[in-house]
Amino acid sequence: MPRALNFLLALFVTATLVGCASQAPRASEPLIISVEEWGGSRINVGPTRKHEIKHITLHHGGVDFLKGTDTAHHLRNLQAWSRNTRGWPDIPYHYLIDPDGNIYEGRDITLAGDTNTEYDPTGHALIVVLGNFDKVEPNAAQIDATVAVMALLAKRYNVVPTTIQSHRDYAKTSCPGANLYPYIASGEFARRVAAKI
Ligand SMILES: [Zn+2]
């Protein structure tokens, strides 16, 4: 094969490979920090309940969570507390969002979550925004990340965006806080999720 042709062929193969690689992570899907990446363990403690996602339900952490907090460290503590103190198999939520809008994987989405309140979280994909939104306003990065996770879940599990609700819509609680709830109540999350999927 002539040298020039060989070079062109190599160039073509390289371009094709690079092209494929850049298509692998779908641009529309948010980056999610896995349990392994934040240093957690996937070994569930005690009984678990398999479920199928029918609802998307929003929570807040309910305690102060300042920007600059080491989220991975917090999640490792939360996982240990959930298992050792609460006797739950894992963190009660499936996805967690920090003040920088980073999204972390929590409990295996195929397993039902847990709650301190009187509603059955079976069938609910549980998203928690870390912080106390009875006290502070959510920032734009947190809102954008919440929309991104909701859209991912709505698309994957065929959940109608207008049915996305929050903890207080199911149980007696102020969760997800006075300053985060209006995004549910006004339909803003539903509108932004619908526009994304
Ligand atoms: Zn809640």
Side-chain angles (χ1 to χ4, degrees):
M1 198 183 286
R3 226 183 150 123
L5 197 63
N6 224 334
F7 173 74
L8 281 176
L9 186 67
L11 202 67
F12 173 75
V13 169
T14 308
T16 308
L17 286 175
V18 169
C20 283
S22 69
Q23 283 165 14
R26 292 170 63 180
S28 57
E29 294 194 354
L31 185 76
I32 294 174
I33 299 164
S34 71
V35 171
E36 289 77 15
E37 284 168 317
W38 58 257
S41 102
R42 288 186 187 273
I43 302 162
N44 287 292
V45 179
T48 55
R49 306 187 311 285
K50 280 266 175 199
H51 72 162
E52 276 178 36
I53 300 300
K54 303 259 189 268
H55 311 282
I56 297 170
T57 306
L58 183 68
H59 297 258
H60 74 156
V63 290
D64 295 348
F65 196 96
L66 304 177
K67 219 170 152 68
T69 301
D70 181 346
T71 307
H73 179 76
H74 172 80
L75 296 186
R76 291 193 296 273
N77 284 342
L78 178 61
Q79 190 176 55
W81 174 84
S82 301
R83 289 173 173 165
N84 303 334
T85 305
R86 296 305 322 229
W88 292 332
D90 201 347
I91 287 176
Y93 311 106
H94 300 107
Y95 293 98
L96 304 96
I97 296 166
D98 78 7
D100 291 316
N102 296 310
I103 303 163
Y104 297 81
E105 182 188 23
R107 181 177 303 208
D108 180 343
I109 189 77
T110 67
L111 303 176
D114 275 296
T115 177
N116 288 320
T117 60
E118 287 181 3
Y119 84 107
D120 180 3
T122 306
H124 294 246
L126 306 177
I127 302 169
V128 64
V129 186
L130 297 168
N132 181 352
F133 300 105
D134 278 323
K135 280 171 68 179
V136 299
E137 289 285 341
N139 67 44
Q142 288 171 314
I143 295 298
D144 289 349
T146 305
V147 169
V149 184
M150 285 175 169
L152 176 77
L153 294 169
K155 201 170 170 183
R156 188 179 292 164
Y157 299 107
N158 286 315
V159 175
V160 178
T162 51
T163 67
I164 296 173
Q165 290 193 288
S166 69
H167 193 174
R168 68 163 71 174
D169 299 307
Y170 294 99
K172 204 169 176 329
T173 171
S174 73
C175 180
N179 300 324
L180 185 55
Y181 184 65
Y183 290 85
I184 293 279
S186 69
E188 180 166 347
F189 277 143
R191 274 192 298 279
R192 288 188 57 185
V193 169
K196 240 181 152 67
I197 62 178

